[in-house]
Amino acid sequence: QVHLVESGGGLVQAGGSLRLSCAASLRTAGPYVTGWFRQAPGKEREFVTAIRWSGVSISYADSVKGRFTVSRDNAKNTVYLQMNSLKPEDTAAYYCAADPYYTGSNPLAYAYWGQGTQVTVSS
């Protein structure tokens, strides 16, 4: 079982940067994939990116390519999402999710979820 806690959200002006963290508490050690998703009010949850246990990123949504970077530090059981050149349309609640097997972008397939952290980008 994996317990996830996101942090690092906040209010930032357009063009600014934020780094989100996803800290995992593992009851059992083992490799897992971590995904980042976001959900704006009135919209469906959207895939942002995912990263393998090895640290290799799986993919990025087209809307964030070149601006967002995912990384992980397994010694700290933490995954990071560096977000640069933020735009007002990046405003959303950001969630991390984990799964021992799934490597795709379907949020329904991830077994474990954090509570989310709010990112607001002002114009």
Side-chain angles (χ1 to χ4, degrees):
Q1 190 169 358
V2 180
H3 179 62
L4 304 173
V5 178
E6 303 95 334
S7 61
L11 174 63
V12 63
Q13 289 188 333
S17 298
L18 283 174
R19 189 177 79 158
L20 306 184
S21 298
C22 173
S25 298
L26 306 180
R27 296 193 68 178
T28 57
Y32 58 93
V33 173
T34 302
W36 282 99
F37 293 80
R38 65 186 183 185
Q39 188 166 19
K43 295 188 177 181
E44 292 186 352
R45 193 160 294 191
E46 173 189 25
F47 173 79
V48 176
T49 184
I51 187 168
R52 297 182 187 275
W53 180 262
S54 64
V56 175
S57 62
I58 296 172
S59 63
Y60 290 89
D62 288 343
S63 58
V64 306
K65 280 181 181 177
R67 300 188 298 122
F68 290 12
T69 303
V70 64
S71 62
R72 72 188 305 153
D73 183 341
N74 289 338
K76 297 181 179 180
N77 287 330
T78 301
V79 172
Y80 304 97
L81 183 65
Q82 178 67 43
M83 306 186 296
N84 298 328
S85 302
L86 283 162
K87 305 175 181 180
E89 51 264 44
D90 294 319
T91 295
Y94 282 71
Y95 300 87
C96 64
D99 193 271
Y101 307 109
Y102 186 67
T103 60
S105 60
N106 184 355
L108 298 178
Y110 282 82
Y112 307 106
W113 286 86
Q115 293 300 307
T117 185
Q118 179 66 36
V119 172
T120 302
V121 184
S122 63
S123 57

